[in-house]
Amino acid sequence: MRQRFKIPVIASSEITPESVYLKRRDFMQAAGLAALPVLVGASQPARSDVVTGGAPLEYRKPSSSAEGFSTDEQATPFSDVTAYGNFYEFGTDKGDPARYAHEMTVDPWSLEVEGAVHKPGTLHLEDILGGFELQERIYRLRCVEAWSMVVPWVGFSLADLLKRFEPKSEARYVEFETLYRRSEMPGTRSFTSTIDWPYREGLRLDEAMHPLSLMAVGLYGKTLPNQNGAPIRLVVPWKYGFKSIKSVVRIRLLEKQPRTTWESLAPREYGFYANVNPNVDHPRWSQASERRLPSTLFRPNRIPTQMFNGYADQVAHLYKGMDLARNY
Ligand SMILES: Nc1nc2c(c(=O)[nH]1)N[C@H]1C(S)=C(S)[C@@H](COP(=O)(O)O)O[C@H]1N2
Ligand SMILES: [Mo]
């Protein structure tokens, strides 16, 4: 399993044109190697505090759109995907993740897989980036707050990861936890935060094993910017965005349904299932439509919301016979 993530060796005597150097520096940052003695000259530009990540990845293109792995809809520009988002560990403003997430150390990184599995273990950054066959998945992402985007993710199926650890027959749920490191996460130090850190999410095992459930390590062909959940995050495209937990450090297989962050905060507003559903409104707003980013005052770009965010053909069978208004 331990296929090493290859890191380029740079001789300190090497003289590098700035363009090449910049590319390499992005790579080193993404791999978390910024602390290595690289070529630092007077011409070194200020490090971008908006975009981290960005090492090129090798991946396969989706074979067809029939399985929902791709869409013809226009992808949301990289600048919007990385500038506007929720990552409460860095603050509640939509710009806070882009502003502060560069403070998060993503190398070294360990992802523990434990609980009801025959082979509990740990994946390190090199296993995460080099140990799985990467694919591009172009998914819609619909936030419960009624904004949405289309993101070309790079990653692998959560099922591929779970199978390696051999879930036991009694495992019925999967719990996920985000990194909780107060020194690097200003939002977790905020006195106004009511979240019981770490951020937690969960899926039923059959939802987790569905081929659409993705562990993303990149977007737009490169490693994830920190604000989008580097180095590895979950993406469940038929559920509201809060299920797509970022910067995952722990996956635990369970017999019982886990308590999740938003459900614990406001159980009447955010349920465990959180399937996108235009017919079941949030208690404080309608879920019938959404603002597709980029969205401005003059061009709000409001579009109808689709059942299961447009993935009904793929996932509706998982909820056969369930009352979706009660199991929101
Ligand atoms: N750890 C963690 N994961 C999180 C969140 C968060 O606050 N903390 N916000 C969620 C919400 S509400 C959304 S809409 C998506 C946004 O992902 P994006 O910023 O990559 O678009 O991340 C989800 N994952
Ligand atoms: Mo969200």
Side-chain angles (χ1 to χ4, degrees), residues 85-89 143 149 178 199 228 233 241-242 244 246:
N86 286 324
F87 199 163
Y88 274 37
E89 285 83 343
C143 178
M149 13 187 229
T178 292
Y199 191 100
N228 294 97
R233 60 94 55 89
F242 66 85
S244 293
K246 294 176 171 177

Side-chain angles (χ1 to χ4, degrees), residues 1-315:
M1 174 184 327
R2 258 174 159 266
Q3 192 182 319
R4 304 294 297 193
F5 181 54
K6 286 194 200 71
I7 285 155
V9 178
I10 303 168
S12 58
S13 59
E14 199 181 331
I15 296 158
T16 314
E18 189 175 64
S19 59
V20 176
Y21 162 69
L22 282 174
K23 261 204 201 142
R24 187 176 284 154
R25 197 177 55 101
D26 283 350
F27 178 85
M28 305 277 284
Q29 257 176 28
L33 295 173
L36 278 185
V38 276
L39 303 161
V40 180
S43 65
Q44 188 187 24
R47 178 182 163 176
S48 163
D49 61 355
V50 176
V51 178
T52 49
L57 292 167
E58 272 180 39
Y59 56 90
R60 275 193 295 125
K61 290 275 180 188
S63 45
S64 82
S65 54
E67 305 113 315
F69 292 161
S70 185
T71 167
D72 295 335
E73 285 163 84
Q74 187 159 11
T76 303
F78 180 84
S79 53
D80 295 281
V81 172
T82 54
Y84 186 98
N86 286 324
F87 199 163
Y88 274 37
E89 285 83 343
F90 298 99
T92 54
D93 187 89
K94 294 285 175 282
D96 283 342
R99 219 167 275 135
Y100 301 118
H102 66 88
E103 294 176 18
M104 174 171 64
T105 306
V106 300
D107 182 9
W109 194 268
S110 306
L111 169 51
E112 312 273 349
V113 184
E114 57 187 44
V117 288
H118 289 290
K119 296 190 170 154
T122 307
L123 293 174
H124 299 283
L125 185 65
E126 57 270 26
D127 309 316
I128 293 167
L129 293 179
F132 295 86
E133 205 196 315
L134 301 180
Q135 301 170 22
E136 180 174 69
R137 300 278 184 92
I138 308 173
Y139 284 166
R140 291 173 288 278
L141 181 115
R142 172 41 161 97
C143 178
V144 73
E145 299 161 339
W147 53 268
S148 69
M149 13 187 229
V150 174
V151 186
W153 303 106
V154 178
F156 49 86
S157 285
L158 172 58
D160 285 353
L161 183 153
L162 293 177
K163 282 177 199 157
R164 293 199 187 178
F165 297 88
E166 300 181 12
K168 292 184 175 170
S169 56
E170 63 263 32
R172 292 199 49 219
Y173 292 90
V174 188
E175 180 184 51
F176 303 84
E177 253 178 48
T178 292
L179 176 75
Y180 173 36
R181 192 180 288 146
R182 289 171 63 89
S183 59
E184 297 180 353
M185 296 176 149
T188 65
R189 302 194 297 265
S190 159
F191 294 109
T192 56
S193 167
T194 52
I195 293 177
D196 173 25
W197 308 102
Y199 191 100
R200 294 184 191 86
E201 258 309 332
L203 295 171
R204 242 171 33 195
L205 186 60
D206 60 340
E207 297 177 319
M209 297 302 275
H210 191 284
L212 284 173
S213 293
L214 184 73
M215 293 309 292
V217 298
L219 57 80
Y220 274 102
K222 296 178 176 170
T223 53
L224 285 174
N226 283 8
Q227 60 267 42
N228 294 97
I232 183 164
R233 60 94 55 89
L234 177 67
V235 183
V236 191
W238 71 94
K239 292 179 180 283
Y240 290 121
F242 66 85
K243 300 295 290 184
S244 293
I245 182 172
K246 294 176 171 177
S247 304
V248 176
V249 293
R250 192 179 312 281
I251 296 179
R252 194 182 286 126
L253 284 279
L254 298 170
E255 290 176 49
K256 294 212 172 89
Q257 185 175 311
R259 289 275 285 181
T260 61
T261 293
W262 284 99
E263 194 196 3
S264 307
L265 276 175
R268 295 153 59 104
E269 302 188 18
Y270 310 100
F272 176 80
Y273 281 95
N275 291 316
V276 175
N277 189 338
N279 310 312
V280 176
D281 287 339
H282 184 277
R284 291 183 281 130
W285 60 84
S286 164
Q287 295 291 27
S289 68
E290 64 202 52
R291 283 186 303 119
R292 173 63 52 84
L293 302 187
S295 157
T296 64
L297 208 53
F298 302 106
R299 215 177 133 270
N301 206 15
R302 195 162 271 284
I303 58 172
T305 289
Q306 304 178 69
M307 189 65 207
F308 295 113
N309 203 23
Y311 300 97
D313 286 350
Q314 289 80 27
V315 303

